[in-house]
Every structure is written in C-alpha cells, then in structure tokens.
Amino acid sequence: DSGNELPAGTHGEVVARGGNITPGYYASPEETAAILHDGWLWTGDLGYRDADGFFFLVGRAKDILKIGGHRVSPAQIEAALLEHPGVSAAAVAGVGDPLSGEVPGALVVAVPGAIVDAEELRRFCAQRLPAYMVPRFVLCVDELPRNPAGKLLREQVGRILREGRPTA
C-alpha cells in the first residue's frame, strides 16, 4: 500500500512502468490520477514474485475481503471449496456484517448428480482454512453469474448472497 517493493513470496499489488505502459485514460484525468503514481501504473492486480523473479497473479485488489482486520482473497476460499469432490464451481464474495465488517459467503455449483450440504462444506473448509476465512454461509446454485465472455461477475455474486442470505 505504501509503494515499497515487497520481498519474494509476499503478496501485494502489482505495479509497472516502462515505455509500453499506458499514459492514462483518454480525456479522464481523474481516472488516470487514480492509477498512475510517480510514473508507476498501479494495475489493480494482486500477486507475488517468487525467488526466481517470476510473477504470479492471485486476484484483483478491488475483490479483496476485509474480515475482522484480515485481508483475504476470495480465490483462497474458492480453492478450498473446489477441493471438495462434490463441488464443480465456487464463487466467494463479502457480505456486510456489523461485527466483522464483512464475512465471506459462497455460491457453489454441485458436480452433476452430487448432493452438497452447506454445513458439510463449511466443516470441510474449516479443516483447510483459518476460522475467519470459512464461509459464514453457503448457497447452492445451478450456475455462477458470468458475462458473455465467461468472466465471473463478482458484484452479482455479492448481490445473490445478500438476497439469499439466511437470517440468523
């Protein structure tokens, strides 16, 4: 966040500069100022550099969940859900919570013919993730919301989770 280079293996926002970097958004100085700082392009992509200098992208900065003081990539939780043999697809988004700020919720698509139980999936995640990362609730859906190019529509995931959230 402060613009300092991070050690290998540490996750942060990927920034870049060089002759091939955009000069900014056409006719939009406000948007340009939001992404360009001191000649560096702040990409909005989260990733890390390994010991050999290779970069790996792990998510988008705007998708990061803020759960009780922890910054969590939805991809980490989705990866745990996808380890379950009955889950073919998963999407995680944050849902507002008065105590934690946000809690993770998950949409899951079952493997054809499989029956997945929300509580079983929560227990499964609890064996793989820290407690604050375990989805507070899980909703089973027929398909995840995607645009025509197949990209996950994370904002719609959040809306579906807010609308379908069980009341406690």
Side-chain angles (χ1 to χ4, degrees):
D1 291 342
S2 63
N4 296 322
E5 187 172 343
L6 298 172
T10 305
H11 290 221
E13 184 168 353
V14 176
V15 297
R17 72 174 171 188
N20 61 336
I21 299 298
T22 180
Y25 290 106
Y26 176 73
S28 185
E30 300 84 20
E31 288 185 51
T32 296
I35 62 164
L36 294 177
H37 306 280
D38 298 321
W40 288 92
L41 169 67
W42 290 68
T43 66
D45 292 317
L46 297 176
Y48 64 94
R49 183 184 64 232
D50 71 7
D52 295 322
F54 291 97
F55 285 87
F56 297 84
L57 300 180
V58 297
R60 297 280 299 156
K62 68 180 181 179
D63 293 338
I64 291 298
L65 308 177
K66 295 172 184 83
I67 303 169
H70 301 278
R71 293 172 54 105
V72 177
S73 169
Q76 293 172 278
I77 302 169
E78 291 163 356
L81 286 162
L82 289 170
E83 289 179 22
H84 190 281
V87 174
S88 68
V92 171
V95 177
D97 180 74
L99 217 51
S100 300
E102 256 184 332
V103 295
L107 297 181
V108 297
V109 177
V111 169
I115 298 174
V116 293
D117 175 74
E119 285 308 309
E120 175 194 344
L121 289 175
R122 292 183 75 249
R123 286 190 299 274
F124 184 83
C125 286
Q127 296 171 349
R128 290 158 174 74
L129 299 169
Y132 63 88
M133 290 175 66
V134 173
R136 184 74 56 90
F137 54 95
V138 177
L139 299 175
C140 295
V141 295
D142 292 333
E143 62 184 13
L144 299 179
R146 297 187 183 278
N147 71 12
K151 181 180 177 189
L152 181 67
L153 298 172
R154 201 165 296 276
E155 287 182 20
Q156 285 190 24
V157 171
R159 181 184 51 75
I160 292 167
L161 287 167
R162 285 188 301 277
E163 291 173 359
R165 180 180 187 175
T167 55

